[in-house]
Each structure stands twice: as C-alpha cells, then as structure tokens.
Amino acid sequence: MKKIIIIVLSLAIILGFLFWKFGPNFSLPFSKQTQKGPINLTYWGFWEDENLIKPVLAAFEAQNPNIKVRYFYQSSLNYRTRVQTQIREGVGPDVFKIHNSWLPMFENDLVPAPKDIFSLTQYKSIFYPVAVSSFVKGDNIFAAPIGIDGLALFYNEELLSGVGKLPSTWREFIDEAVKMTVKDPDTGQIQTAGASLGTASNVDHWQDIVGLLFLQQPGLSFENLASSKAAEVLSWYTGFITDPRKKTWDVNLPKSTDMFTQGKLGFYFAPSWRAYTLRIANPNLKFKVISVPQLSSSQVAWASFWGEAVSKKSQHPREAWQFVKFLTSADTERFLYQEASKIRLFGEPYSRVDLAPEIANDPIMGAFVTQGPNYKFWYLASNNQDAGINDEMIKYFEDGINAILAGTDPQVALQTVDKGVKQVLDKYTKPQPVATGQRR
C-alpha cells in the first residue's frame, strides 16, 4: 500500500513540475491535441465577386463556427499555371477551381474527398455523368462542380422567324442556316450570315464545335485521327466556307460574337456565360438558346465547366472538403443562381440533377441543363487559357483547319494533327517513366 502511495505522490510531483515548467503548452504523449482558435481556409474563385460569395461564406461559418473562409477573386489570365505553381510552393489556396479537362495536369496536386463526406455513390446520384468522367479517377473524387456548362445553340429570333424552324438535326441546321444567309447581289459577300462555322480564326468557340462534331461521329476516336471518318468531319466543318451549297460564313467576316451581337448572324454556338455579354452589348437583341443539333438518334452534347478542388498542401483537407460539399448543396447552388441573376441577369446553370427542373424551361439557361445527361468532353475546350493540354491540342487542330482552307487534302492535314495529338496525350495522360539510378 505504501508503495502505491509513493508512486502516486511521485507522479503528482512530476506532473505538477511539468505543468509549472511548460504551462498550457504541455500535453501528455497520449493526450489529444485540440485546435487553438478557428481553422482558416482560403478559397480562390472567379466570376463570383466578393459581395456575391460573402453570404455563402457566412452561412457556412454559421454551421461550422470553428472554420473561417477567406475568398480571393482571381483573374482567369494565366490562372492554371499560377495556382499550380503556388500550390507546389506550399502557399496556394485550400480550395480552388479547376476546369473539367484539367485532372490529368492536377491529379498529383489534389487531395481526394474523404469517403464519409462524399461517397462515390452519392456523388453519382447528385451530378451528371460528365462530372464523374471529369473529376473521378478510380474511386477517388478530386473535384465537385457548383455549375454545369457547355455548348448550346443561340439563335436570333427575328432572323429565324422569317425563314424557318428550330433545328434538331444537322441537316435541318444547314437548311435553316442557308435560308438566313444574305449575300450582296453584286459582290457575293455575305451580309447576314446564317451560321458561323468553318474557320479557326473568326469563329468563337470553334474548338468546342469541332470537339462536339468529333464526339458525335460514330466510330471515331481522338486517338486515331488519321482516318477517313476524321477527314469527313473536318471537311464538313470547313464546308461552311468552301462548299457553295452550304456556304454561310466567310474568313473575312468579323468575329462570330460581334456578328451575333449586331443582329447579323442567325445561329451562334456558345457557352452560357456568353448570354450575359450579349445582353450587355445589345439589350435589344432578341435571342434564345436550344440544345445543339444531333447527327443521329444518339444524343451527344459538349461540356466545358469548372469544379471546386482541394489542394494536397492544405493543412485542413477535411474541413476544405466540408466546404466544397456545402458549396454544392442544393440550397447554396440555388442561392448563388438567384443572386447572380440579380447582378448579371443570368445565374450559372445548376450542376445538380435534382435542380434541373427549376430552370429547364428558361429560354436562355434551360438548354444547358436539359442536355446535361448527354454531356461529354475532351481536351479541346476553348477559353480556359491553360497553357497546357487544351491549348497544345488546339494549336494542332488550328493548323489542320487552316491547312484544309488553304487547299490541303483533309486526310493529309490530319496526319500531322494525329501525330501532334498523340504527343500531347503521351505528355499529359500517360504515366511517365520513373528515372532510376545507374548501377555501379
């Protein structure tokens, strides 16, 4: 009994001395450390200005009083290289946006979602299949979108109402585009264009249009572009310049966005965010948006959107993913859409399948969610300025289209494109061999 008392007293004296010596900084090796003060997260985004995002951050912090989030608005210029450099230097954000085609470039910089925050089954039930093909690898979820976007067909109501009907197939699209095209009777120059396709110079979002056409072509693979099927696609695309039977566009015309803004273009392919720029540039322009035309009964649309990801260098990855989960909740997406509509007339189309019915009948945004189940993507996304996989792919296709317009046989032009595409795919999507030391 005396031994026990002596041991207890000795331990008490030792612990008392340690507490006096080290104060509140002392803890037993087996004791659980507690977080001092709030957990601080940084969030990088663009489009949403700080006034729009502040109420969202306040709502999240109210539910999670131990977490504070600071939002930093970013320019899209050089965004990919800038955010990736900072992450690798350990000074980047906790949560940030990546394009849905960037996972091959960012996978090693990201931490996947904890399974108890985002299970794969839950993720697949919330978002469109293209979110899974974009941001999931194996059973790891690397990003989650708070909006969906892609290519849709804008049409000038006044021009189309005078000649025809809304097209659902490419054959109908050509017929209506030709009817809307008006040429100068003396010079033959196009004054009002029916559709803007055929070039890689003055057709905005030509990259997405070409990507869509390739994805819609049965039996065509981007990994084998030196084929007759690929040549057929590019011949069809450039035919809007070179084929007198369907000529609706010209290399000397202004940019397609400018032509549509001025009311001189009938059909214009663009993502949802163009609707805002069109309204601002010409408030009197009467236009609506429908799903892209289809080649056959199988429905394929082109996706290009962004997701929220968590940096591998984040000190608080679990809390960061809690924040991403909150951003993609139905209440948050609905709030962001409604508030953005007050500022820029249109919100970002919902990424969540369960919210699609709320805007499906909208004459501008509806098409972007109704074609949601049909979205696919590849590495030809316009306007993401990644200085990487998309921009490198785009350069090869641009050279190929220009070569065809200059008179090169499409299949010959595509041989060079095919070689370039394979090089880019090897660079970004194939595992790189690990260097090994030489034997001595």
Side-chain angles (χ1 to χ4, degrees), residues 111-426:
V111 59
K115 301 297 189 291
D116 60 333
I117 291 180
F118 252 135
S119 72
L120 188 55
T121 300
Q122 181 187 41
Y123 190 92
K124 289 179 177 180
S125 69
I126 293 174
F127 304 112
Y128 294 103
V130 72
V132 178
S133 58
S134 299
F135 295 134
V136 175
K137 187 171 182 180
D139 61 350
N140 288 320
I141 299 167
F142 287 100
I146 58 175
I148 197 73
D149 208 349
L151 204 64
L153 180 58
F154 290 59
Y155 67 93
N156 183 302
E157 292 184 78
E158 294 178 330
L159 293 179
L160 186 61
S161 65
V163 297
K165 61 180 183 179
L166 295 176
S168 60
T169 67
W170 285 110
R171 181 69 264 170
E172 294 171 348
F173 173 84
I174 294 173
D175 292 343
E176 304 309 323
V178 169
K179 291 176 187 176
M180 286 188 286
T181 302
V182 178
K183 301 177 181 178
D184 184 285
D186 298 322
T187 65
Q189 294 295 314
I190 293 176
Q191 296 176 323
T192 300
S196 53
L197 292 91
T199 75
S201 55
N202 59 350
V203 176
D204 290 321
H205 311 293
W206 68 265
Q207 305 92 327
D208 307 297
I209 300 170
V210 171
L212 170 69
L213 295 174
F214 273 84
L215 288 175
Q216 288 186 339
Q217 181 73 18
L220 195 154
S221 169
F222 278 106
E223 297 190 9
N224 181 26
L225 294 176
S227 66
S228 58
K229 284 184 177 292
E232 181 182 336
V233 171
L234 283 193
S235 295
W236 188 89
Y237 176 74
T238 54
F240 286 87
I241 300 289
T242 62
D243 187 345
R245 296 168 299 175
K246 66 175 186 180
K247 183 175 175 61
T248 64
W249 192 246
D250 195 88
V251 293
N252 298 317
L253 291 170
K255 287 277 192 178
S256 57
T257 302
D258 296 333
M259 286 284 285
F260 194 77
T261 301
Q262 296 165 13
K264 297 179 180 180
L265 174 60
F267 289 137
Y268 165 69
F269 291 93
S272 69
W273 56 267
R274 283 291 190 185
Y276 173 66
T277 59
L278 293 172
R279 275 280 187 262
I280 295 300
N282 185 357
N284 297 317
L285 182 67
K286 294 182 179 179
F287 69 90
K288 290 181 180 178
V289 184
I290 58 174
S291 298
V292 295
Q294 298 296 321
L295 183 64
S296 62
S297 57
S298 60
Q299 302 288 302
V300 178
W302 176 266
S304 180
F305 59 101
W306 298 80
E308 317 305 302
V310 175
S311 167
K312 200 170 188 176
K313 295 294 182 69
S314 173
Q315 297 299 306
H316 309 288
R318 181 174 183 82
E319 290 79 6
W321 266 108
Q322 289 175 348
F323 178 58
V324 172
K325 182 73 175 288
F326 179 83
L327 289 175
T328 62
S329 67
D331 288 342
T332 301
E333 285 201 21
R334 189 181 289 114
F335 173 82
L336 286 172
Y337 183 90
Q338 293 170 350
E339 293 303 304
S341 298
K342 297 175 184 177
I343 299 171
R344 56 178 183 250
L345 305 178
F346 307 100
E348 189 175 3
Y350 296 129
S351 69
R352 295 180 61 98
V353 176
D354 58 351
L355 294 182
E358 297 185 13
I359 60 171
N361 295 322
D362 185 278
I364 306 297
M365 292 295 117
F368 295 97
V369 295
T370 56
Q371 62 185 13
N374 306 320
Y375 278 133
K376 296 183 183 298
F377 81 98
W378 200 68
Y379 310 112
L380 267 180
S382 66
N383 290 79
N384 71 34
Q385 304 175 60
D386 64 5
I389 190 168
N390 287 281
D391 286 349
E392 291 180 27
M393 289 291 190
I394 286 168
K395 186 65 175 72
Y396 285 110
F397 279 88
E398 179 182 10
D399 291 344
I401 290 171
N402 289 337
I404 293 170
L405 291 176
T408 302
D409 180 87
Q411 199 145 357
V412 173
L414 276 165
Q415 290 177 4
T416 303
V417 177
D418 183 61
K419 291 178 182 177
V421 166
K422 284 182 169 63
Q423 290 175 3
V424 178
L425 289 175
D426 287 344

Side-chain angles (χ1 to χ4, degrees), residues 22-72:
F22 300 102
N25 294 323
F26 171 71
S27 63
L28 292 172
F30 48 81
S31 67
K32 185 177 181 180
Q33 295 278 8
T34 58
Q35 176 71 33
K36 294 181 181 179
I39 291 171
N40 294 302
L41 301 176
T42 56
Y43 174 36
W44 281 18
F46 34 85
W47 300 307
E48 300 92 356
D49 62 33
E50 192 172 1
N51 291 329
L52 177 64
I53 207 72
K54 269 184 177 179
V56 174
L57 304 185
F60 174 75
E61 291 171 355
Q63 293 183 18
N64 302 272
N66 65 317
I67 306 175
K68 300 297 179 185
V69 184
R70 293 183 64 195
Y71 177 74
F72 294 90

